Tab-separated table of all heavy atoms in Angstrom:
chain	number	residue	atom	x	y	z
H	1	ALA	N	159.136	103.037	155.336
H	1	ALA	CA	160.421	102.644	155.893
H	1	ALA	C	160.307	102.240	157.381
H	1	ALA	O	160.930	101.273	157.798
H	1	ALA	CB	161.437	103.786	155.782
H	2	ILE	N	159.481	102.953	158.134
H	2	ILE	CA	159.281	102.618	159.537
H	2	ILE	C	158.617	101.241	159.659
H	2	ILE	O	159.046	100.394	160.431
H	2	ILE	CB	158.434	103.699	160.249
H	2	ILE	CG1	159.227	105.008	160.322
H	2	ILE	CG2	158.036	103.196	161.635
H	2	ILE	CD1	158.419	106.186	160.781
H	3	THR	N	157.549	101.041	158.887
H	3	THR	CA	156.825	99.763	158.902
H	3	THR	C	157.759	98.621	158.541
H	3	THR	O	157.780	97.598	159.240
H	3	THR	CB	155.618	99.830	157.969
H	3	THR	OG1	154.783	100.968	158.284
H	3	THR	CG2	154.779	98.563	158.058
H	4	LYS	N	158.494	98.787	157.439
H	4	LYS	CA	159.389	97.734	157.003
H	4	LYS	C	160.446	97.402	158.056
H	4	LYS	O	160.708	96.233	158.329
H	4	LYS	CB	160.057	98.184	155.700
H	4	LYS	CG	161.048	97.180	155.123
H	4	LYS	CD	161.646	97.675	153.837
H	4	LYS	CE	162.620	96.623	153.273
H	4	LYS	NZ	163.213	97.069	151.971
H	5	THR	N	161.011	98.424	158.670
H	5	THR	CA	162.086	98.234	159.653
H	5	THR	C	161.553	97.473	160.859
H	5	THR	O	162.224	96.571	161.382
H	5	THR	CB	162.656	99.582	160.063
H	5	THR	OG1	163.146	100.263	158.901
H	5	THR	CG2	163.811	99.384	161.078
H	6	ILE	N	160.352	97.798	161.319
H	6	ILE	CA	159.778	97.122	162.492
H	6	ILE	C	159.591	95.626	162.180
H	6	ILE	O	159.933	94.774	163.044
H	6	ILE	CB	158.439	97.766	162.882
H	6	ILE	CG1	158.696	99.128	163.503
H	6	ILE	CG2	157.636	96.855	163.817
H	6	ILE	CD1	157.471	99.957	163.778
H	7	PHE	N	159.103	95.279	161.011
H	7	PHE	CA	158.905	93.876	160.680
H	7	PHE	C	160.219	93.155	160.426
H	7	PHE	O	160.380	92.023	160.857
H	7	PHE	CB	157.962	93.740	159.490
H	7	PHE	CG	156.517	93.860	159.861
H	7	PHE	CD1	155.826	95.050	159.701
H	7	PHE	CD2	155.806	92.756	160.384
H	7	PHE	CE1	154.511	95.150	160.071
H	7	PHE	CE2	154.485	92.869	160.726
H	7	PHE	CZ	153.812	94.049	160.575
H	8	GLU	N	161.128	93.794	159.719
H	8	GLU	CA	162.357	93.113	159.369
H	8	GLU	C	163.340	92.951	160.543
H	8	GLU	O	164.194	92.069	160.497
H	8	GLU	CB	163.037	93.832	158.187
H	8	GLU	CG	162.176	93.770	156.901
H	8	GLU	CD	162.960	94.169	155.656
H	8	GLU	OE1	164.073	94.711	155.803
H	8	GLU	OE2	162.425	93.909	154.563
H	9	TRP	N	163.199	93.799	161.547
H	9	TRP	CA	164.081	93.695	162.719
H	9	TRP	C	163.306	93.294	163.964
H	9	TRP	O	163.730	93.575	165.085
H	9	TRP	CB	164.854	94.974	162.895
H	9	TRP	CG	165.728	95.279	161.741
H	9	TRP	CD1	165.493	96.087	160.673
H	9	TRP	CD2	167.014	94.713	161.494
H	9	TRP	NE1	166.534	96.055	159.790
H	9	TRP	CE2	167.498	95.236	160.246
H	9	TRP	CE3	167.856	93.809	162.186
H	9	TRP	CZ2	168.709	94.900	159.723
H	9	TRP	CZ3	169.073	93.480	161.663
H	9	TRP	CH2	169.505	94.009	160.448
H	10	LYS	N	162.209	92.600	163.747
H	10	LYS	CA	161.355	92.136	164.850
H	10	LYS	C	162.132	91.366	165.929
H	10	LYS	O	161.867	91.530	167.126
H	10	LYS	CB	160.208	91.307	164.278
H	10	LYS	CG	159.336	90.612	165.311
H	10	LYS	CD	158.228	89.789	164.652
H	10	LYS	CE	157.600	88.825	165.615
H	10	LYS	NZ	156.528	88.018	164.991
H	11	PRO	N	163.079	90.476	165.592
H	11	PRO	CA	163.798	89.764	166.638
H	11	PRO	C	164.428	90.671	167.672
H	11	PRO	O	164.563	90.317	168.839
H	11	PRO	CB	164.828	88.970	165.866
H	11	PRO	CG	164.217	88.733	164.508
H	11	PRO	CD	163.455	89.989	164.214
H	12	GLU	N	164.897	91.857	167.251
H	12	GLU	CA	165.487	92.774	168.231
H	12	GLU	C	164.422	93.337	169.174
H	12	GLU	O	164.733	93.678	170.330
H	12	GLU	CB	166.208	93.909	167.501
H	12	GLU	CG	167.417	93.437	166.696
H	12	GLU	CD	168.289	94.529	166.172
H	12	GLU	OE1	168.098	95.683	166.604
H	12	GLU	OE2	169.166	94.249	165.300
H	13	LEU	N	163.199	93.457	168.695
H	13	LEU	CA	162.102	93.889	169.570
H	13	LEU	C	161.720	92.802	170.560
H	13	LEU	O	161.506	93.042	171.743
H	13	LEU	CB	160.884	94.281	168.736
H	13	LEU	CG	161.110	95.370	167.670
H	13	LEU	CD1	159.789	95.635	166.943
H	13	LEU	CD2	161.632	96.626	168.269
H	14	VAL	N	161.655	91.542	170.084
H	14	VAL	CA	161.311	90.415	170.906
H	14	VAL	C	162.326	90.231	172.006
H	14	VAL	O	161.984	89.829	173.145
H	14	VAL	CB	161.159	89.120	170.093
H	14	VAL	CG1	160.922	87.939	170.961
H	14	VAL	CG2	160.059	89.276	169.044
H	15	ALA	N	163.589	90.535	171.713
H	15	ALA	CA	164.645	90.412	172.711
H	15	ALA	C	164.438	91.349	173.897
H	15	ALA	O	164.917	91.096	174.989
H	15	ALA	CB	166.014	90.676	172.059
H	16	VAL	N	163.704	92.445	173.667
H	16	VAL	CA	163.446	93.420	174.723
H	16	VAL	C	162.187	93.056	175.484
H	16	VAL	O	162.123	93.131	176.716
H	16	VAL	CB	163.350	94.831	174.158
H	16	VAL	CG1	162.854	95.809	175.222
H	16	VAL	CG2	164.693	95.267	173.608
H	17	HIS	N	161.109	92.671	174.752
H	17	HIS	CA	159.866	92.222	175.402
H	17	HIS	C	159.197	91.203	174.520
H	17	HIS	O	158.985	91.416	173.343
H	17	HIS	CB	158.923	93.401	175.684
H	17	HIS	CG	157.950	93.071	176.780
H	17	HIS	ND1	156.894	92.201	176.590
H	17	HIS	CD2	157.844	93.509	178.037
H	17	HIS	CE1	156.193	92.114	177.711
H	17	HIS	NE2	156.757	92.863	178.611
H	18	LYS	N	158.772	90.099	175.153
H	18	LYS	CA	158.252	89.002	174.382
H	18	LYS	C	156.888	89.291	173.719
H	18	LYS	O	156.498	88.567	172.779
H	18	LYS	CB	158.119	87.727	175.240
H	18	LYS	CG	157.062	87.765	176.341
H	18	LYS	CD	157.030	86.443	177.079
H	18	LYS	CE	155.905	86.393	178.056
H	18	LYS	NZ	155.870	85.078	178.775
H	19	GLU	N	156.184	90.337	174.149
H	19	GLU	CA	154.921	90.690	173.487
H	19	GLU	C	155.149	91.013	171.987
H	19	GLU	O	154.244	90.899	171.181
H	19	GLU	CB	154.219	91.856	174.181
H	19	GLU	CG	153.530	91.463	175.512
H	19	GLU	CD	152.312	90.602	175.333
H	19	GLU	OE1	152.000	90.201	174.187
H	19	GLU	OE2	151.632	90.352	176.337
H	20	ALA	N	156.370	91.434	171.646
H	20	ALA	CA	156.670	91.771	170.272
H	20	ALA	C	156.580	90.562	169.337
H	20	ALA	O	156.459	90.711	168.140
H	20	ALA	CB	158.077	92.411	170.179
H	21	GLN	N	156.581	89.369	169.910
H	21	GLN	CA	156.455	88.142	169.077
H	21	GLN	C	155.103	88.084	168.390
H	21	GLN	O	154.938	87.385	167.369
H	21	GLN	CB	156.693	86.898	169.909
H	21	GLN	CG	155.626	86.633	170.918
H	21	GLN	CD	155.991	85.512	171.909
H	21	GLN	OE1	156.956	84.814	171.675
H	21	GLN	NE2	155.267	85.396	173.004
H	22	HIS	N	154.135	88.860	168.886
H	22	HIS	CA	152.784	88.848	168.290
H	22	HIS	C	152.665	89.810	167.097
H	22	HIS	O	151.590	89.855	166.484
H	22	HIS	CB	151.744	89.167	169.339
H	22	HIS	CG	151.723	88.212	170.464
H	22	HIS	ND1	151.389	86.868	170.342
H	22	HIS	CD2	152.026	88.364	171.811
H	22	HIS	CE1	151.487	86.258	171.497
H	22	HIS	NE2	151.889	87.126	172.408
H	23	ILE	N	153.667	90.568	166.814
H	23	ILE	CA	153.634	91.456	165.653
H	23	ILE	C	153.793	90.586	164.403
H	23	ILE	O	154.850	90.014	164.158
H	23	ILE	CB	154.763	92.510	165.696
H	23	ILE	CG1	154.664	93.355	167.003
H	23	ILE	CG2	154.732	93.411	164.479
H	23	ILE	CD1	155.870	94.260	167.199
H	24	ALA	N	152.728	90.456	163.666
H	24	ALA	CA	152.723	89.503	162.520
H	24	ALA	C	151.962	90.088	161.340
H	24	ALA	O	150.933	90.781	161.517
H	24	ALA	CB	152.073	88.187	162.940
H	25	LEU	N	152.458	89.813	160.157
H	25	LEU	CA	151.836	90.337	158.935
H	25	LEU	C	150.365	89.842	158.821
H	25	LEU	O	149.485	90.610	158.408
H	25	LEU	CB	152.594	89.901	157.692
H	25	LEU	CG	153.852	90.725	157.364
H	25	LEU	CD1	154.688	90.037	156.295
H	25	LEU	CD2	153.478	92.141	156.900
């Protein structure tokens, strides 16, 4: 559930810091 949530709500992470854009399957 944690893994899925991080990937499915990635845009909210990117909005905080752009390094999150590199989180990719």
Side-chain angles (χ1 to χ4, degrees):
I2 293 170
T3 305
K4 180 178 181 179
T5 302
I6 288 171
F7 278 98
E8 294 195 347
W9 297 97
K10 173 181 165 180
E12 294 190 13
L13 304 180
V14 175
V16 173
H17 201 289
K18 69 178 186 179
E19 285 289 5
Q21 67 191 348
H22 300 297
I23 302 172
L25 280 168

